[in-house]
Amino acid sequence: MTTTPNLSTRRVDPYNPPAEHARLQEEQPVSQVGWRDDRKIWAVTKHADVRAVLSDARFSSDRSLPGHPTNIGYAPGDKLKQLIEMDPPEHTTARGRVMGEFTVKKVAAMRPWITKIVEEAIDMMLQGPSETDFVVALSLPVPSMVIAELLGVPYDDHDFFQENSAAFVDQHTTPVEKAAAMGRLRSYIADLVNSRIEAPGNDILSRQLSAGADPQDLVGLGFLLLIAGHETTANMISLCVATLLDKPELLQQLRDDPDLMPGAVEELLRYFTIAEIGGLRLATADIEVGGTLIHAGDAVFALSNTANRDPEVFPEPNRIDFTRGARNHVAFGFGPHQCLGQNLARLELEIVLSAVIRRIPALRLAVPFAEIPFKEYGPNYGIYKLPVAW
Ligand code: HEM
């Protein structure tokens, strides 16, 4: 068995997964490699094998289990669990309660008010100086305003909500400042839940309450929706815009044929696979993956970014092709934990990119592409700051 010194998740090339991961896929697609703290982890790299791991709940998401690769001090029996770290049957019940909020139909009905949020953010951007940080102008505020609307945050509180959400995900805030922002948001969401008990509104929290949800659990759900849906979408918006400005031929394709947009969004989701860290699991049984036996107690990393470049599934995988029909990618995960907000993320991306192309035709990068600060160390891939001008 080949072992490498340590599996690095650092992305050196902004457009491609680490070369080491691609080599593993080619030479030994299921292999045990070094991991943090001198541990070992199974790196699973082929598309079919990644889907097999993510759809098999015996590969546990429960971070409180000893030996789980995402266990950062949880004790068994910790009850502060979010959807993303539950196993069935607990997960099935909890997800079932909220799934109806994010169906294709429900999300399609959000188009008018999301469009309004995006148009207003662009108005604001165009009123200011003709050079700005796109992350601050659009990438972060749009998903933040969208989730605020879904949770029923009153308009007057939007500044508080957006400022603290931004502080929580901002690279410049210290861990202490992040914890403080998180504390303020949690207690804000707790107050919001209480206010909905007294006066229900047209929002997710009110609907969950009237369906009998525990108010305490709702604070956790509100916070998870905020965090899971916020930075991921913001990073994707920035990466898409940076790519289109760096590769004018791709931008031109979308200008010539706006109907290509859904396919373009799907392809860029595949290409960047920003939330790869979601693929960490703990085997709770002996299970064969791609002809290799993984033992109970072993840590497993389903490398979705590498899986999304599997040439057997995506011919010429390192080429961006808006017409390839990349819908079977695993950028939103796969199986029981597959992203709950994926339809919403797709819609936000489509609306933002279409509006930016239509309304700011002169948009350009204000620094060379090589100088853009990418979040190469993760945990989610993305862009810290995207200087643009028009
Ligand atoms: C481009 C944007 C997004 C990406 C790439 C992304 C990616 C992912 C991935 C890979 C997972 C699976 C994690 C796992 O298997 O453990 C996931 C789960 C989840 N996502 Fe997203 N996500 C995005 C946007 C959103 C949005 C907008 C929301 C909601 C408003 C959201 C809410 C969630 C939730 C609640 C889960 C947990 C589902 C469960 O465990 O059952 N995400 N996401």
Side-chain angles (χ1 to χ4, degrees):
M1 177 189 307
T2 309
T3 55
T4 53
N6 240 337
L7 185 78
S8 167
T9 48
R10 182 177 170 211
R11 305 204 198 188
V12 183
D13 171 354
Y15 282 122
N16 291 304
E20 175 62 12
H21 299 191
R23 192 188 62 76
L24 286 174
Q25 185 185 64
E26 214 177 301
E27 292 175 6
Q28 198 167 6
V30 180
S31 45
Q32 210 168 27
V33 294
W35 183 237
R36 299 168 188 157
D37 304 331
D38 300 328
R39 294 186 57 191
K40 291 228 162 71
I41 198 163
W42 288 99
V44 177
T45 53
K46 294 291 284 181
H47 188 263
D49 296 340
V50 162
R51 298 223 291 192
V53 168
L54 295 181
S55 57
D56 186 336
R58 293 174 301 167
F59 289 108
S60 172
S61 290
D62 184 349
R63 297 175 190 183
S64 69
L65 292 178
H68 197 283
T70 52
N71 188 318
I72 42 162
Y74 291 80
D78 270 357
K79 274 293 151 226
L80 267 177
K81 279 193 206 151
Q82 315 271 17
L83 265 188
I84 211 155
E85 48 198 306
M86 291 175 187
D87 286 338
E90 192 185 16
H91 175 262
T92 321
T93 313
R95 186 166 164 125
R97 273 200 293 266
V98 68
M99 251 169 69
E101 294 287 348
F102 294 97
T103 59
V104 175
K105 201 171 157 204
K106 276 262 169 74
V107 171
M110 299 176 194
R111 184 180 282 274
W113 61 261
I114 297 181
T115 303
K116 186 162 176 277
I117 287 175
V118 172
E119 295 290 339
E120 285 173 3
I122 295 179
D123 289 343
M124 290 263 289
M125 177 173 155
L126 295 179
Q127 276 160 25
S130 63
E131 184 166 335
T132 191
D133 176 5
F134 194 87
V135 174
V136 175
L138 260 112
S139 305
L140 272 175
V142 168
S144 159
M145 301 292 268
V146 168
I147 201 71
E149 184 70 30
L150 289 175
L151 294 176
V153 170
Y155 192 78
D156 285 350
D157 295 348
H158 272 205
D159 284 347
F160 166 87
F161 189 81
Q162 209 185 310
E163 271 162 30
N164 283 288
S165 307
F168 185 72
V169 297
D170 193 295
Q171 56 147 341
H172 300 298
T173 51
T174 64
V176 173
E177 287 166 337
K178 277 188 205 303
M182 175 175 137
R184 285 191 292 271
L185 283 168
R186 267 188 178 266
S187 62
Y188 179 84
I189 294 172
D191 289 347
L192 201 59
V193 171
N194 285 332
S195 74
R196 292 299 177 261
I197 294 173
E198 282 157 29
N202 180 19
D203 56 81
I204 294 183
L205 298 177
S206 300
R207 284 190 289 275
Q208 292 286 305
L209 282 167
S210 70
D214 176 342
Q216 192 66 28
D217 289 349
L218 277 189
V219 179
L221 177 69
F223 194 71
L224 173 67
L225 290 177
L226 169 68
I227 299 311
H230 188 180
E231 205 205 355
T232 43
T233 312
N235 282 328
M236 246 343 264
I237 293 174
S238 301
L239 286 165
C240 291
V241 169
T243 303
L244 294 178
L245 298 181
D246 182 48
K247 297 181 184 296
E249 67 287 1
L250 293 179
L251 182 59
Q252 195 54 47
Q253 282 179 32
L254 293 176
R255 283 208 175 105
D256 294 345
D257 183 2
D259 290 346
L260 275 181
M261 186 54 83
V265 165
E266 224 53 67
E267 174 69 342
L268 290 165
L269 282 162
R270 173 192 79 86
Y271 202 73
F272 286 112
T273 316
I274 58 167
E276 177 171 52
I277 204 79
L280 289 162
R281 299 288 190 269
L282 182 77
T284 59
D286 291 354
I287 307 162
E288 199 177 292
V289 176
T292 301
L293 188 64
I294 294 181
H295 290 285
D298 287 352
V300 180
F301 196 168
L303 290 166
S304 45
N305 190 18
T306 316
N308 276 341
R309 302 294 180 101
D310 187 337
E312 283 175 25
V313 182
F314 305 105
E316 289 189 75
N318 298 334
R319 198 164 66 84
I320 298 177
D321 175 358
F322 292 161
T323 63
R324 79 161 71 234
R327 187 103 182 168
N328 56 341
H329 66 69
V330 285
F332 288 121
F334 191 71
H337 288 278
Q338 195 175 32
C339 181
L340 191 69
Q342 59 183 289
N343 299 321
L344 176 58
R346 287 187 174 103
L347 183 66
E348 287 184 57
L349 285 163
E350 255 184 61
I351 294 176
V352 171
L353 297 180
S354 305
V356 166
I357 292 172
R358 179 172 39 81
R359 290 199 53 198
I360 329 174
L363 193 70
R364 62 179 196 280
L365 291 174
V367 294
F369 185 80
E371 285 175 23
I372 295 172
F374 289 93
K375 298 180 180 175
E376 54 189 33
Y377 288 99
N380 289 328
Y381 188 53
I383 289 179
Y384 288 119
K385 191 172 161 44
L386 183 58
V388 292
W390 57 94

